[in-house]
Amino acid sequence: STKAKKKKSSYREPLILIAFVIVVAILGLTLGEKASVLYPIGQIWLNLLFVLLVPLIFFSISSSIANIADTKRVGKLLVLTIGIFVVTAAIAGIYMFAVTGIFGVDTSIQLDASEVTAAAAADSIGTQIVNTFTVSDFPLVISRSHILALIVFTGFFGLTVSVLGEQGKPVASWLNNMSLVFYKMVALLMKLAPLGLMAYFANLTGTYGPDLLKSYARGLLIYYLAAIVYFFVFLALYAFLAAGPWGVKNFFKNILTPALTALGTRSSAATLPLQLDACDKLGVPREVSSVVVPVGATCHMDGACIATIYEIALCCALFGHPLNSIGDFAFALVIAVAGSVAVSSVPGGGAAMETMVISAFGFPSIALPVLLMMTQLFDAGCTLINSCGDTVASMLVTRVLYGKDWYKKNLNKQEEAKV
């Protein structure tokens, strides 16, 4: 019954949010232009969220890096793990470009793009990458306009604290405590999300009418069909690369419970013990699964990458900012992959991810509530792919470290024998 309660509560927030938005959509359609009176309430909530993002990202990422105990073995394993995460995220992004290329995104609505900066489009791909990952002055780092540069700085800071060892421990402890404070601030602010988004959506639907709701329905259909195909085709392919036909058969045999838990709870953390259990049954050595699965829960987000590519394509259509050249597509892919690997470890990571997308592309802030709602609707599918992808990534890492016949070797028994 506790599990049933947990399942109910995990869906309660998005269901409340969706119910609010439906009521508000009706209210907005009824009030029409008059709904703009609610705009300030939504904007205040949004501004509070924007203000919290920079310290939240800084403290959460730097504290998790600063508290890592450094060993060469874990170092090698981590490099290999992150490498596999980046490759699978890039494949997921390219796949979603193909999907949006075939099915398109809804362009029946054109939002006001008066705030869009032409700068992002005008720069060369090299300049865009330099400006996205770095800034020239410290004050620019502590700005939501430069989220990826902030992450690079934060990672460097956390790593330095970790390298200092004993001397760095008081700083690591302080970072940990500060991150708890900001987690709590975000948790409290997110309790007001239905109210803030309600006010914003009443204004949006009052201004843009039923076209906005059609955009969401189409997005849901395309995303979930794409996610199902990715789950059964791409995860099967990775399992095949890790352990041939045996890998595919046994992966799907052992992944059912974690997959249903991911859909039921929408939480990678809730599926973590079940993914570790699935890895045990598959014969993945615990020294691999105990690193890959927890790291994956925070930075292996192929589902998020698929969602982000759809959101970028949608925003580009909504704000008349077409993706024309190979450079445009490459830049979008870099943003989606970097965001899905880096930002996902931040609680309320959706908001950080969306902010990074709109700042990198110069979309106006009106894009954020539109994308936040999309993220909520896509969340169950994202969690399914993100968490089940961690199990298959463990199999791939084991294949690289222990050779192609790893699943025949009973590696956990060997580890226990050594001990």
Side-chain angles (χ1 to χ4, degrees), residues 62-86:
S62 64
S63 70
S64 59
I65 294 173
N67 286 295
I68 288 175
D70 194 18
T71 69
K72 270 191 181 164
R73 180 82 175 151
V74 171
K76 184 185 172 187
L77 190 55
L78 275 175
V79 169
L80 182 60
T81 301
I82 300 290
I84 286 172
F85 290 171
V86 169

Side-chain angles (χ1 to χ4, degrees), residues 76 186 194 206-207 212 283 285 310 330 348 362 383:
K76 184 185 172 187
V186 169
T207 311
L212 189 68
Y310 183 83
T383 308

Side-chain angles (χ1 to χ4, degrees), residues 189-229:
L189 184 61
M190 290 316 268
K191 289 193 189 305
L192 296 173
L195 183 68
L197 287 174
M198 181 181 88
Y200 220 105
F201 269 88
N203 179 39
L204 279 179
T205 46
T207 311
Y208 298 105
D211 286 339
L212 189 68
L213 303 179
K214 271 198 320 216
S215 262
Y216 281 133
R218 187 181 166 82
L220 266 178
L221 186 68
I222 290 174
Y223 178 78
Y224 277 96
L225 285 174
I228 289 162
V229 170

